[in-house]
C-alpha cells in the first residue's frame, strides 16, 4: 500500500507537470531534454517522497529538484561539448513571440534566471522561491530586483539598435 506522502507527491507531479516542464525548458531550451528532466525529477521525487515534511512544500520541493536536475544536465552538456565550440549551429525557427526578452534572460546568470523565471513565469511567491533556491528572503529579493534592473537595461539597449 502506498504511503500518504507518496500519493501526495505523485498527485503533485501530475498536477504540476506543465509548470515543471516550462521550468526545465527555460534552462535547457530543448523540448526533449526538458521532458527527460521532468521525468528524471519525478523519479527522484517519488524515490524520496518520504523526505517531504509538509504537503504545502511539495510544489517548491519539486521545483527545486527540477532546477537542480536542469543545472546538472547543463553542466553535463558543457562537458560533452567542450571542443565543439567552432561547429556552426543548425538554424531553427524561434517559437517565442518575445525573442528579445528570452535573449535578455539568457544574459542573466543561473541564480538570477531561476528567480525571475519562478517569480514571473511560474507565478511563485517569494516565500516559495526561497524554498526552491535555498536562499534567504532578502537574498531572493535582491537577486530579483538586480535581475529586473539588468533586464530593463538589456531590453532598452535592444530598442536603440
Amino acid at each position: 500500500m502506498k504511503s500518504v506522502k507518496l500519493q501526495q507527491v505523485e498527485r503533485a507531479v501530475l498536477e504540476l507537470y506543465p509548470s515543471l516542464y516550462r521550468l526545465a525548458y527555460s534552462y535547457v531550451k530543448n523540448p526533449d531534454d526538458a521532458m527527460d528532466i521532468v521525468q528524471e525529477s519525478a523519479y527522484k521525487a517519488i524515490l524520496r517522497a518520504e523526505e517531504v515534511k509538509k504537503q504545502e512544500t511539495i510544489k517548491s520541493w519539486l521545483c527545486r529538484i527540477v532546477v537542480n536536475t536542469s543545472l546538472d544536465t547543463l553542466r553535463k552538456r558543457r562537458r560533452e561539448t567542450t571542443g565543439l565550440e567552432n561547429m556552426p549551429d543548425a538554424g531553427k525557427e524561434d517559437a517565442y513571440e518575445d525573442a528579445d526578452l528570452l535573449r535578455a534572460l539568457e544574459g542573466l546568470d543561473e541564480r538570477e534566471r531561476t528567480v525571475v523565471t519562478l517569480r514571473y513565469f511560474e507565478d511563485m511567491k517569494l516565500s516559495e522561491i526561497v524554498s526552491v533556491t535555498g536562499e534567504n528572503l532578502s537574498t531572493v529579493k535582491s537577486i530579483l530586483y538586480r535581475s529586473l534592473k539588468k533586464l530593463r537595461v538589456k531590453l532598452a539597449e535592444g530598442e536603440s539598435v
Side-chain angles (χ1 to χ4, degrees), residues 11-142:
R11 192 174 321 114
V13 167
L14 293 173
E15 289 172 9
L16 297 170
Y17 185 87
S19 176
L20 299 174
Y21 175 83
R22 282 191 308 272
L23 181 59
Y25 187 87
S26 73
Y27 280 90
V28 295
K29 310 287 189 276
N30 179 299
D32 295 330
D33 288 346
M35 196 174 301
D36 290 345
I37 287 168
V38 173
Q39 289 174 353
E40 183 178 342
S41 298
Y43 176 72
K44 289 176 182 178
I46 289 169
L47 284 179
R48 298 170 36 203
E50 296 304 317
E51 293 177 18
V52 174
K53 291 175 180 42
K54 298 180 197 169
Q55 182 178 357
E56 302 83 43
T57 63
I58 291 176
K59 179 180 179 181
S60 58
W61 181 71
L62 286 171
C63 288
R64 185 176 194 140
I65 292 171
V66 170
V67 167
N68 289 337
T69 305
S70 298
L71 293 175
D72 290 344
T73 300
L74 289 173
R75 283 185 208 107
K76 182 179 174 188
R77 186 186 295 165
R78 249 182 249 128
R79 283 193 305 266
E80 289 173 353
T81 59
T82 303
L84 300 177
E85 296 87 21
N86 297 328
M87 292 190 66
D89 291 334
K92 64 178 183 180
E93 188 175 325
D94 195 348
Y96 291 99
E97 294 174 15
D98 199 347
D100 292 337
L101 176 59
L102 293 173
R103 263 194 300 292
L105 277 171
E106 289 174 7
L108 299 176
D109 68 35
E110 290 174 355
R111 286 173 66 203
E112 294 167 338
R113 189 172 42 247
T114 297
V115 170
V116 170
T117 300
L118 293 175
R119 178 68 185 105
Y120 293 105
F121 294 95
E122 298 306 325
D123 202 28
M124 284 189 159
K125 297 175 185 169
L126 292 176
S127 59
E128 293 174 313
I129 296 170
V130 165
S131 297
V132 171
T133 61
E135 304 283 356
N136 65 43
L137 182 60
S138 60
T139 303
V140 168
K141 285 180 181 179
S142 66

